[in-house]
Structures are given as C-alpha cells and as structure tokens.
Amino acid sequence: EDEQIVAEIMRRRFFPAFLTYKAWEGFHFAGHEIRITEATDCYGAVVWPSALVLCYFLETNSKQYNLVDKNVIEIGAGTGLVSIVASLLGALVTATDLPELLGNLQHNVLQNTKLKCKHKPRVKELSWGIDLEKNFPRSSCHFDYIMAADVVYNHPFLDELLLTFDHLCKNDTVILWAMKFRLDEENQFVGRFQTLFDLEVISNFPSLNITLYKAMRKGGMK
C-alpha cells in the first residue's frame, strides 16, 4: 500500500518537455497544473517530497479537512507548493519564509493562484522565533491550520521552530506536519514537540521515510 500511494503521489510531478531559460517543475493538484520555479542554491527553493505528501493528503482528504474559508499559515513555505494547493482548495493562506526566499515564493504563489482562488494568498516574512508577537500578535492572529513540510533538518534553529509553533497555535488550531526522518538529533525534535502538543500519525510512508502528523496543543479542543 505504501509503494502504491507513493507512486501515485510522485505521478503528480511532471517536467517541461523542453528546456526553457527558467528552470521549473510541474505538479497536478486540486484540479490545476501548478508550475513551480526552483533554485538549487538553497534548501528553501526546492520542492521536497514531504511537500508532495502533504499536498496529496490535502487534496484526497478535502472533505474531512475542509479548507474552504479556513485561515491557514504555512511556515517554511519554500517554493510555496503547499500554500498554493491550500489556496486552490479554498483557504485564506499566509505563506511565510525567510526574507531571501520571499521573491521566488511570491512569484510562484502569484502565478499559480491569480484569478483561480476564492481568497488571495498572502506572502509574509517569518524568521522562526524572531519578532513573533510584533509580526503575528496573539490577540489578532488566529489560524485554523498551521502547515509545515520538511521544516526539521540539519539546521541550528530547532528551538526557534518549536517556539514558533507554540506562538502561532491556539487551543483549536490543527497542525499538519510532514516530516522526513534523517538524523537522530533532528528526530529527537519529535519528543520535544510532544511536550507541548498531542501528536497523531495520520499517514506513514516508509519508502520515503516520511511521516505525516496531525497535532493540537495539549488540552486543546479535539
């Protein structure tokens, strides 16, 4: 079953039939052809398999996880694929990442959602753990969903990442998080995450070493 579903997920990706001056990859999700401009000079400008897993889940579980008119934030949005799919499924999306990635992120989000979505998605800077209350005040920011794909890897900001999850998450916020397991030090983040959040595995793909989690704040609404 794992291999069959993974094959179906990977069939959603396609490549241009001929070379162009700008490198891009194509994807089929939410009834649309999505073209993503990538770069190879940084992690955040590449579409990783965890993003495909999360997009596939959103599309195939759109009744149980109905995103229409829901307020969604994606942290570490990278190229924006997850944010684009959530927007096409009817959500009001805020796609966030580091300032140096916002130009490419904005380009991808705009070209793939313009005149196609119920709500115009927003692109906003978010450096994990920095100026959270200033840029996302608890009193006025309420997100129905926090989405994250492949945000845990070999980087020194795991403390800041956990702080960011904690700041953005209300008692009724649902976190959908796709994680690729790599190194033990990174994998220990899951245990730390569980000190603040109840964690449930909703999909598991051993052939990709990726797990898709649903999480809510401990003591929050179920």
Side-chain angles (χ1 to χ4, degrees), residues 127-146:
S127 299
W128 297 338
I130 298 176
D131 292 331
L132 293 175
E133 182 59 28
K134 176 184 176 182
N135 296 323
F136 299 90
R138 290 180 184 269
S139 60
S140 58
C141 288
H142 183 283
F143 297 104
D144 299 296
Y145 289 93
I146 299 171

Side-chain angles (χ1 to χ4, degrees), residues 34 36 79-89 108-109 112-113:
I34 300 168
I36 296 294
T79 60
L81 181 61
V82 172
S83 289
I84 291 165
V85 172
S87 296
L88 293 171
L89 291 171
N108 285 328
V109 168
N112 287 289
T113 62

Side-chain angles (χ1 to χ4, degrees), residues 144-155:
D144 299 296
Y145 289 93
I146 299 171
M147 297 188 183
D150 223 358
V151 292
V152 178
Y153 51 90
N154 186 24
H155 64 72

Side-chain angles (χ1 to χ4, degrees), residues 54 78 111 189:
L54 183 48
Q111 77 163 2
F189 180 84

